[in-house]
Amino acid sequence: MASKSEQHVVIDKRLLETILTEQQEELEAKRGSEYCHREEELLIDMNSPQAQVVIGVRRSGKSTLCFQALERAKVKYAYANFDDERLSRMDSDQLNDVLEVLYKVYGDFDYLFLDEIQDVEGWHLFVNRMLRKKMHVVITGSNAKLLSGELATHLSGRAKEIHLYPFSFAEYCAVKGVDTDRRTTKAEGFRRAAFDAYMKDGGFPELLAISDKRTYIKDLVSNILQRDIEQRYKITYKEAFEQLAHHLLNVSPSHVVTTDLATTFHLRSEHTVKNYLAYLRQAFLLIGIKRYAAKSKVRVTQEKTYAIDVAMMNWRENAFAGDNLGWRLETVVLVQLLRKCKANGWDVYYFKERSGECDFVVCDGHTVLQAIQVSYDITNEKTRKREISGLLLACKHTKCENLLLLTDHEYSDLEEQGHRISVRPVYEWSCTQNLI
């Protein structure tokens, strides 16, 4: 194992001042731009003594979200972005030097904005000390374990976690100038056209203004795999790991069978596959949802994986998942559900029995709030019966009467075996304030 001196470097204070001054200039440049306001801004509590921690996949807009929240609050704050190659091997002992330089650059401040701090080992000790000194701290990170394990122990009760995903369809429309409220034929046509584009392009904010989407997504995926996972977790079988990651994006959404994956990619054990899957979820490249079941063992062992955004499904080399519109629609629905459910403390599962399955059930503790089935097109009678059958099966087992069938464009209300089923287009459903 490398010694501490080999792992970390001491950065001269003059260089630190140069870096942090340049970052301040970048911040000033942002003040002249307009950004899409997102619902998660309201979740950042500027008056709280807790650290406000915004986590999510890289390039989902975490930094801009925090910037807008701080600007809206009109508070004095200082900014340090650790997603800078010049700070990549910083020792946590130097965070006090960072603080000193920030005071020199910004003057006095009450709020500290620390961007992508997860790569600085021991950062939580510094943050804990800042909180004890009554400093308000806002943090972003691209790893789901940011507040788990040892970190959670040190920041126990002193951190609020906020999840951020790439743009929702409503946010995509806001950026594109598409009206989501009017009910005219023209407005409806524009919304449907925008949703077709969203289903293809996805919601990464920067991707909306980039023509070479394939290179952008290729570089983003490579950065996540190589920097956020391989370096962090010291992956031994890098080629097999990357092949596994791309395979799971290609077949997303899919049920995970770790023994099959271990055999396919010639990995020594099922345990290795489980670790790799955990890393991919922690870096937000994949989302995992559990099977709805009373037994904990079933929930833990039977998982279904999805890409974090539909852009990951087609804007990569040798990717074919983009051709399946049903898979893409299901992914859009899940991510939109998670946006709402995370904020409300609800859970999302998939439902499966021998006689059928339902894509999602939304739960508040033990109570099932809604059962949701997703199908791109239900004009085929066989498809229609299968989707409705899955909803009725979920209704029977969960006693939930709030049944929703989401499609690409159909809008109607059905009565099946004494149960009411709402059929709605995803582009309309995803723009409503209350999804459940």
Side-chain angles (χ1 to χ4, degrees), residues 132-403:
R132 291 199 304 269
K133 290 184 174 183
K134 309 301 181 184
M135 177 75 74
H136 295 279
V137 184
V138 178
I139 299 168
T140 75
S142 300
N143 191 290
K145 290 192 71 176
L146 199 66
L147 288 179
S148 65
E150 182 185 2
L151 307 185
T153 300
H154 286 282
L155 293 178
S156 178
R158 308 193 75 176
K160 176 184 178 182
E161 190 175 280
I162 300 158
H163 288 252
L164 186 67
Y165 298 89
F167 278 158
S168 66
F169 177 58
E171 291 164 343
Y172 179 92
C173 286
V175 174
K176 292 288 189 178
V178 177
D179 192 321
T180 57
D181 296 320
R182 296 181 69 188
R183 290 293 174 259
T184 65
T185 302
K186 181 178 180 180
E188 190 84 1
F190 283 169
R191 280 194 293 274
R192 288 191 61 178
F195 189 71
D196 286 348
Y198 179 73
M199 280 266 287
K200 179 182 178 183
D201 296 342
F204 283 99
E206 292 175 338
L207 206 57
L208 273 66
I210 292 176
S211 58
D212 188 0
K213 301 183 191 304
R214 185 177 295 275
T215 298
Y216 181 89
I217 292 298
K218 176 187 174 183
D219 291 345
L220 175 58
V221 172
S222 295
N223 200 10
I224 293 171
L225 293 178
Q226 295 168 13
R227 179 175 176 181
D228 293 344
I229 300 178
E230 291 176 4
Q231 290 182 21
R232 175 186 295 274
Y233 298 107
K234 306 295 187 290
I235 299 294
T236 303
Y237 308 107
K238 294 180 180 179
E239 184 177 354
F241 167 69
E242 291 185 17
Q243 289 176 347
L244 170 65
H246 283 285
H247 169 72
L248 290 171
L249 289 172
N250 284 339
V251 299
S252 169
S254 65
H255 295 279
V256 172
V257 182
T258 51
T259 50
D260 290 350
L261 291 173
T263 301
T264 300
F265 295 99
H266 308 291
L267 293 166
R268 291 185 175 181
S269 71
E270 184 183 358
H271 180 70
T272 299
V273 174
K274 289 179 178 178
N275 283 339
Y276 287 177
L277 287 168
Y279 301 153
L280 291 166
R281 289 192 301 269
Q282 288 159 19
F284 299 103
L285 195 62
L286 293 177
I287 306 168
I289 63 171
K290 309 296 185 182
R291 178 179 168 184
Y292 175 83
K295 294 182 179 179
S296 177
K297 182 179 179 180
V298 175
R299 295 196 302 272
V300 169
T301 58
Q302 298 190 29
E303 185 178 65
K304 194 173 182 181
T305 62
Y306 291 78
I308 188 67
D309 187 85
V310 291
M312 299 293 195
M313 299 171 70
N314 66 306
W315 291 119
R316 293 178 300 107
E317 294 178 353
N318 303 313
F320 292 95
D323 295 334
N324 192 312
L325 296 175
W327 291 357
R328 300 176 72 76
L329 195 68
E330 191 177 328
T331 301
V332 166
V333 169
L334 174 62
V335 177
Q336 180 66 2
L337 278 174
L338 291 175
R339 284 189 188 95
K340 297 295 183 180
C341 292
K342 289 287 186 183
N344 287 287
W346 299 336
D347 298 307
V348 182
Y349 300 93
Y350 73 92
F351 178 89
K352 185 175 183 180
E353 295 292 335
R354 288 184 179 179
S355 54
E357 57 185 281
C358 180
D359 291 318
F360 308 114
V361 289
V362 178
C363 299
D364 183 2
H366 295 293
T367 304
V368 177
L369 302 177
Q370 190 172 48
I372 301 172
Q373 196 74 297
V374 184
S375 181
Y376 186 81
D377 186 356
I378 57 172
T379 54
N380 179 280
E381 189 61 25
K382 184 178 178 180
T383 301
R384 190 182 190 90
K385 285 183 177 180
R386 184 187 67 236
E387 303 301 339
I388 290 174
S389 176
L391 274 175
L392 294 178
L393 186 65
C395 171
K396 177 182 176 181
H397 283 266
T398 67
K399 310 304 180 187
C400 175
E401 291 289 344
N402 187 2
L403 309 179

Side-chain angles (χ1 to χ4, degrees), residues 21-32:
T21 300
E22 288 176 355
Q23 292 182 0
Q24 183 196 39
E25 291 172 354
E26 293 171 9
L27 208 62
E28 286 293 334
K30 288 173 77 77
R31 291 193 173 99

Side-chain angles (χ1 to χ4, degrees), residues 118-135:
Q118 71 269 350
D119 289 330
V120 181
E121 292 183 20
W123 65 267
H124 51 285
L125 299 174
F126 171 77
V127 169
N128 207 18
R129 179 159 57 88
M130 293 298 98
L131 294 173
R132 291 199 304 269
K133 290 184 174 183
K134 309 301 181 184
M135 177 75 74

